[in-house]
Amino acid sequence: MRVLIVEDHSELARWLQNELNHVGWQCDVAATVDRAYTMVHHSFYDIILLDIMLPDGDGIALCRQLRHITSAAMIMITARDDLHDRVHALDDGADDYVTKPYAVEELLARIRAILRRTHGDPGPVLEFNDLRLWPEERTVAQNGVFLSLSRREFDLLLVFMQNPNRVLSRDQLLEKAWGYDFYGESNVVDVTVRRLRDHLSPEGHVMITTVRGVGYMLRGTHD
């Protein structure tokens, strides 16, 4: 998934870029209308996230221009909550309209909804109790709340979701989540498991248990 973030507020753009990188999406940033148009003209993007108020122009006008050169889905992200702006943006080619401040989990859900409409089924989903994981989109939700995982945390959870209720040794987890050629710290599995546990809801119905002397297992809390 390639995403272009058109936002002149550097800290906000960096935050959003980091959040989307965490789910495995490749993100570029443009701070001006001119730069955004040039990037879209020369590169392919699946999603374009557009602010309305930009230093050299209007994001809605840019959306209308981009519709002539790209089929990417476009979402307006702005502090302007006026009905006229919403109607104007949607009539001029935007696929959705999100007002600031917003939760990144809602933005991800809106992106997935748009992609389902424009690209069909987003792919297989792995389910275990209240966890749902989309391998192709590299997103995961627990009881409907999307989790912001690092790349390695996601890779590790994917292995657990593919092998629920099965004890996996540290060597097996290293091989499947890090690869044969990993030469990092020997305790990297333990550290990543601890971080992954912190993301899981204490009120949820899954847990990663330690099997002393063997490894770890993903199991349901009711098991």
Side-chain angles (χ1 to χ4, degrees):
M1 177 83 73
R2 292 201 64 191
V3 181
L4 176 62
I5 301 168
V6 186
E7 169 65 64
D8 64 317
H9 192 294
S10 59
E11 291 184 6
L12 179 58
R14 191 180 308 113
W15 169 80
L16 182 54
Q17 184 178 30
N18 289 336
E19 291 291 333
L20 298 183
N21 284 340
H22 282 165
V23 298
W25 296 349
Q26 180 181 343
C27 299
D28 296 327
V29 175
T32 65
V33 167
D34 184 65
R35 179 60 178 158
Y37 189 89
T38 299
M39 293 174 72
V40 174
H41 184 74
H42 293 288
S43 302
F44 172 82
Y45 293 100
D46 298 283
I47 293 283
I48 301 174
L49 307 177
L50 281 163
D51 191 10
I52 289 183
M53 295 178 286
L54 295 166
D56 61 338
D58 186 298
I60 296 178
L62 174 61
C63 175
R64 184 171 58 250
Q65 293 175 327
L66 293 179
R67 270 287 164 245
H68 296 293
I69 63 172
T70 181
S71 60
M74 285 186 266
I75 300 178
M76 308 304 301
I77 300 180
T78 176
R80 286 161 55 171
D81 195 22
D82 184 76
L83 176 60
H84 174 76
D85 289 328
R86 289 174 176 270
V87 172
H88 190 188
L90 295 171
D91 282 346
D92 277 15
D95 295 281
D96 205 346
Y97 193 104
V98 176
T99 55
K100 302 174 183 176
Y102 59 88
V104 70
E105 293 83 4
E106 179 186 357
L107 177 61
L108 290 171
R110 288 175 178 268
I111 291 174
R112 283 191 296 272
I114 290 172
L115 293 178
R116 282 194 296 271
R117 295 197 301 267
T118 59
H119 293 79
D121 194 305
V125 57
L126 297 177
E127 298 187 57
F128 182 65
N129 287 358
D130 58 355
L131 277 181
R132 302 186 76 196
L133 184 149
W134 292 263
E136 293 182 7
E137 291 188 316
R138 295 184 64 84
T139 56
V140 59
Q142 183 173 24
N143 197 27
V145 177
F146 287 89
L147 309 183
S148 180
L149 304 182
S150 70
R151 180 172 65 91
R152 199 60 72 190
E153 289 163 354
F154 180 89
D155 292 341
L156 186 62
L157 183 58
L158 174 60
V159 176
F160 282 125
M161 291 286 284
Q162 291 170 331
N163 300 274
N165 294 315
R166 177 184 171 189
V167 180
L168 299 170
S169 70
R170 289 172 177 80
D171 287 342
Q172 287 175 310
L173 293 170
L174 273 175
E175 175 186 321
K176 294 178 181 294
W178 277 263
Y180 290 101
D181 56 351
F182 177 75
Y183 295 104
E185 296 292 331
S186 59
N187 68 337
V188 66
V189 171
D190 302 312
V191 172
T192 308
V193 166
R194 285 199 300 270
R195 291 175 178 169
L196 188 53
R197 282 170 171 164
D198 290 339
H199 287 288
L200 298 177
S201 170
E203 289 80 34
H205 300 297
V206 297
M207 65 186 304
I208 301 172
T209 59
T210 302
V211 181
R212 190 176 299 275
V214 183
Y216 297 98
M217 177 176 66
L218 178 70
R219 69 175 183 85
T221 55
H222 59 278
D223 293 342

